[in-house]
Amino acid sequence: MSHSTSRYLALGAMLIMLALYGLTSAGWFGPNPVGSTSNDVDPLIIPPPYAFAIWGPIYLGLIVFPIFQLFKRRDGHPAWIPLRQWFAANVVANGVWLVFASYDWQWLTVLVIVFMLFSLFRINQLLGRIAAAGAPYNYWVEWLVFSLYFAWVTLATVLNVSAALAFYDWQGFGLAAVNWTVIMIIIAALIAGYTSYVFRDAAYAAVVVWAFVALATRHWEGIPTLGFLAAAVAVTFVGMGAWNFSRARRLA
């Protein structure tokens, strides 16, 4: 595939995502608006609604990226072509996830979000290859959006699994919901910590801080165990973000 074709592929995929978002929000597919299922089952690991406002800058970035690529004509490194292909696959999957969620097809949404997570892993690998080669890129339009998106989807994958288990009335092998939430928080923190370490990305760590501060505020008074644990994870990632930032500057 040529650079030119991949640019138009990325743009077309973004338009498909927007169309699916609009149609699901308008009720053209399933009976449930976006996000209603997780609110209904309300597993303890789901942060308060304001945390999901991060989708605003993420969607803005996903819209701007292919347009910027179209006009900037990034042809300086061959990795831009597979990067745009993975971007196209990811944003179409994003729209498909919304459709599946509107029908409450929970395990299908899990499969889709796992694919989204893998595609973002590949996108960030390719961006690292482009940066290492000294090829030009714009941090704000062509890097930051994928840092934010990757971090949020990493955590959202765990939330998605938790929501699916709650939706299907999984009893957790007899363990209390709080105990399972502790386990899920630790799993999410370990996955995010490893990814943040591998990619040396301060913005990725900042998103994790945002999510766990929100989770801490939800449980601080009602379930202190979860509140303190979420706060501890947030503090850990503040340190990790600072370390990633200083390490990236030393290597620059």
Side-chain angles (χ1 to χ4, degrees):
M1 180 178 289
S2 68
H3 280 283
S4 177
T5 302
S6 67
R7 284 192 290 266
Y8 284 106
L9 175 68
L11 180 65
M14 181 270 288
L15 294 175
I16 291 172
M17 178 193 71
L18 290 180
L20 291 174
Y21 182 91
L23 291 173
T24 53
S25 298
W28 280 58
F29 291 106
N32 299 314
V34 175
S36 64
T37 298
S38 61
N39 292 334
D40 290 341
V41 297
D42 198 28
L44 296 176
I45 199 171
I46 301 293
Y50 76 82
F52 294 88
I54 197 171
W55 276 115
I58 290 173
Y59 273 121
L60 178 61
L62 295 180
I63 293 169
V64 171
F65 172 77
I67 298 172
F68 187 84
Q69 286 274 304
L70 192 64
F71 287 97
K72 198 66 176 177
R73 294 183 174 275
R74 294 292 193 209
D75 297 347
H77 195 286
W80 282 114
I81 294 175
L83 189 151
R84 296 182 195 112
Q85 292 171 331
W86 280 110
F87 171 85
N90 176 278
V91 294
V92 170
N94 189 310
V96 171
W97 186 95
L98 296 171
V99 174
F100 287 171
S102 72
Y103 286 106
D104 285 338
W105 295 341
Q106 292 298 303
W107 288 122
L108 289 178
T109 66
V110 170
L111 292 177
V112 172
I113 203 168
V114 168
F115 170 78
M116 290 168 61
L117 182 61
F118 177 76
S119 63
L120 286 165
F121 178 81
R122 290 291 296 125
I123 287 170
N124 279 269
Q125 277 187 323
L126 291 165
L127 280 171
R129 189 181 307 171
I130 290 168
Y137 67 91
N138 183 290
Y139 175 79
W140 299 102
V141 179
E142 296 171 320
W143 188 291
L144 180 61
V145 59
F146 294 113
S147 295
L148 302 180
Y149 191 21
F150 190 21
W152 189 252
V153 170
T154 302
L155 301 175
T157 301
V158 178
L159 302 185
N160 202 157
V161 171
S162 300
L165 291 172
F167 181 79
Y168 292 114
D169 294 322
W170 185 62
Q171 299 303 311
F173 301 118
L175 288 178
V178 171
N179 294 333
W180 270 112
T181 304
V182 168
I183 294 171
M184 298 298 275
I185 287 174
I186 293 172
I187 290 172
L190 289 174
I191 294 172
Y194 172 77
T195 308
S196 181
Y197 172 80
V198 168
F199 287 99
R200 301 195 301 269
D201 195 334
Y204 183 104
V207 173
V208 180
V209 173
W210 165 264
F212 279 98
V213 166
L215 188 62
T217 62
R218 175 183 175 182
H219 294 302
W220 194 259
E221 294 183 358
I223 310 177
T225 300
L226 298 183
F228 284 121
L229 178 58
V233 173
V235 170
T236 300
F237 274 87
V238 168
M240 181 169 285
W243 181 66
N244 285 336
F245 181 74
S246 64
R247 187 168 64 151
R249 292 193 65 180
R250 288 198 305 270
L251 295 174

